[in-house]
Each structure stands twice: as C-alpha cells, then as structure tokens.
Amino acid sequence: FLPVLMVMLASLAIWLATQRLVIRWIDVLSRMATAYSGGHYAIRPQVLNDAPPEFREMGNTLSDMALAIQERDHSLKDALAQKELLIKEIHHRVKNTLQIVVSLLSLQANRVRDPTAQEVLGQARARINALALAHRAIYEQDLDGLVDLQPLLSNAIEQAQGAGDGAHTQLTFSMDVAHCRVSGDAAIPLTLFVNEAMTNAIKHGHPEPKAGGHISVSLKPASEGRMNLTITDDGEGFDAGPTRQDNAVGIGLMTALARQVSGEVSIQSGSSGTVVTLNFPASSAAA
C-alpha cells in the first residue's frame, strides 16, 4: 500500500505543480492570443507578472506583435480613408469638368445654324450629361464602393425627359426600378444605357408626338441572380427605313455598354412600339 500511496502522492504533486507553473500560464497566453486575433489589443502582459520568466517573455513577445498589428491596422485604415477621399474627389472633379464640357457644347450649338450639326451636338451634350450624372451619384452616395441604381436611374430618366426640344411635352413617363446596388464601374455604363435607350425612344419612337404616348423604365430581378433593365415605348418602332439606319449608332453604343457589365441586349421593335432589355448579372455588377 505504501508504494502505491507514494506514487499517487507524487502524481498529485506533479499535477499540481504542472497546473500552477505551466498549464495555468499557457491558458493565459492562449486567451491573450485569442483576444489579439479578434482585434482586442487592450490586454497587456502584466497578467503574467507572477509567471516563470519564459512565459513572461512569451507574453511580451505577443504584446509587441499585437501593438505592431494595431499600429499597422490604424495605418491601413488611414490610408484607405485617404484613398476613398481621393477617389470621391476625383469623381467630383470629373463631374465638374464634364459640366464645363456640356456648357461649351451648348455655347457651340447656339452658334451653329445647321440643324444636323445642332442635333449632333445635342446628342453629345446629352451623353456627357448622363456621364456627369453618374459621376455625381458615385461622389454623393458611394457606400462601400456601391451605388444604388434607383435614385441614379430616376435622375437619368428625368434628365433624358428634360433634354428634349419641347415638342414631346405630351409624352408620359413611368418608372419601376427596384433597389439594386452596383459598383461605380457598372453604374456609369448602366446610366449611359438608360440615357441612350430613352433618347432613342423619344427621338425615333415618337418623332411626331401624339397624345397618349408613353415610355416606361423598369429594373427587376430576373432568374439565376440576374437583373432585367427594360425601356419600353408605344411609338412607331424602327424596323425598317431610314430611321433604322439613323438609330444604328445608338444600338451600337448600347451593345458596347452592355458588354461593360457582362450583359446582353435584346431589342424588339414593331408598329406597336419598342422594347429594349438589358439582362445583366447583379453579382458581377456589384463585384
């Protein structure tokens, strides 16, 4: 019995000594490392003052690493905030520059007497206006690198509506745009796409406006994580004749803009009107 008792007492003594001198401080170091990995850097190695020298040295090393990581995090956050500020300032300056270009085009258009030249300058002015609108939206509402399409497209529709020559005052407009946040790189081509489709619907779909003419814009979720942007008008269409040829530039531009958001364009035009649909992946647009 005595040898067994001695072995048991020795094991108990070893366990108590190991628990007090090793395992206890290993648990403290583990809790410090867990807190540091979670971004909590307030823990300092003073909790290891009564620990053996080896554990105090390990605690000091962990604390120094945590302080270095904390300083690096602050530096990265400051650099990121400065970068975001610079990007927003760039968009703001681009928007101001584009507005100056629009003003110069307006001045030039007022001095030109050729109707064809006036129309070309007006189209260029409308496209640059839409581009400036997109940059303004990115500057004003860019959150986490994303822009809500609902207010942006609403402003684009109002801008295209007001860019007419006053002969289309009898046209009515409607909008059904779901909230969809996209990246700034996608917001610009989408805004230009709506402007181009709206301009074509006004100019070619209703060359001679009549009472009851209507243009609608909708943005709704489609299948498989995609979005459908649709511009519909009840005009005369452009299936054939010179109108189709005149509209070729707009169709080519819309196709190029669709490729920028990895989308596909579908245009159905006939005597009852025109439906322009852009199907694009919402996930890739918001990447």
Side-chain angles (χ1 to χ4, degrees), residues 5-241:
L5 179 61
M6 291 178 63
V7 170
M8 293 177 62
L9 291 175
S11 299
L12 178 61
I14 292 172
W15 181 83
L16 291 174
T18 304
Q19 184 70 27
R20 180 175 179 81
L21 298 177
V22 179
I23 298 178
R24 170 188 175 189
W25 303 114
I26 290 177
D27 289 341
V28 173
L29 289 173
S30 177
R31 289 195 297 270
M32 289 178 59
T34 301
Y36 291 155
S37 65
H40 305 287
Y41 305 111
I43 298 178
R44 291 294 177 259
Q46 282 78 7
V47 295
L48 295 170
N49 287 340
D50 298 331
E54 293 81 0
F55 290 102
R56 289 201 301 270
E57 184 176 355
M58 292 179 64
N60 290 329
T61 302
L62 282 176
S63 179
D64 293 340
M65 291 174 60
L67 287 175
I69 293 173
Q70 187 178 22
E71 293 177 358
R72 192 172 189 180
D73 283 350
H74 290 161
S75 177
L76 290 175
K77 288 179 180 178
D78 292 340
L80 181 60
Q82 184 178 10
K83 179 182 177 181
E84 291 177 350
L85 182 62
L86 289 175
I87 291 175
K88 291 175 73 70
E89 181 63 23
I90 289 173
H91 283 295
H92 182 61
R93 294 191 179 188
V94 169
K95 184 258 301 182
N96 290 340
T97 302
L98 291 174
Q99 288 180 338
I100 293 175
V101 173
V102 169
S103 299
L104 292 175
L105 287 175
S106 299
L107 291 174
Q108 187 65 36
N110 292 333
R111 300 171 66 92
V112 175
R113 295 293 177 264
D114 184 8
T116 303
Q118 288 182 344
E119 181 180 354
V120 171
L121 291 174
Q123 291 176 354
R125 183 175 56 199
R127 288 163 180 161
I128 296 175
N129 249 330
L131 188 58
L133 178 64
H135 281 282
R136 188 184 73 182
I138 296 172
Y139 170 74
E140 292 179 349
Q141 60 154 326
D142 184 11
L143 301 174
D144 300 328
L146 300 178
V147 179
D148 189 353
L149 279 180
Q150 190 178 65
L152 176 57
L153 295 187
S154 177
N155 291 333
I157 294 168
E158 292 179 1
Q159 180 172 279
Q161 180 181 358
D165 54 5
H168 296 83
T169 56
Q170 299 183 53
L171 287 176
T172 58
F173 299 82
S174 63
M175 182 185 73
D176 183 13
V177 177
H179 285 283
C180 176
R181 299 177 67 195
V182 300
S183 65
D185 290 338
I188 293 175
L190 289 173
T191 304
L192 292 174
F193 184 92
V194 170
N195 175 81
E196 198 64 32
M198 288 280 294
T199 301
N200 289 342
I202 294 173
K203 177 182 176 183
H204 301 295
H206 299 275
E208 296 180 0
K210 60 181 185 298
H214 183 74
I215 298 174
S216 65
V217 179
S218 68
L219 176 66
K220 297 181 179 180
S223 59
E224 300 179 355
R226 300 178 71 87
M227 301 293 293
N228 275 340
L229 176 61
T230 306
I231 298 90
T232 305
D233 71 83
D234 58 357
E236 61 185 38
F238 51 89
D239 277 342

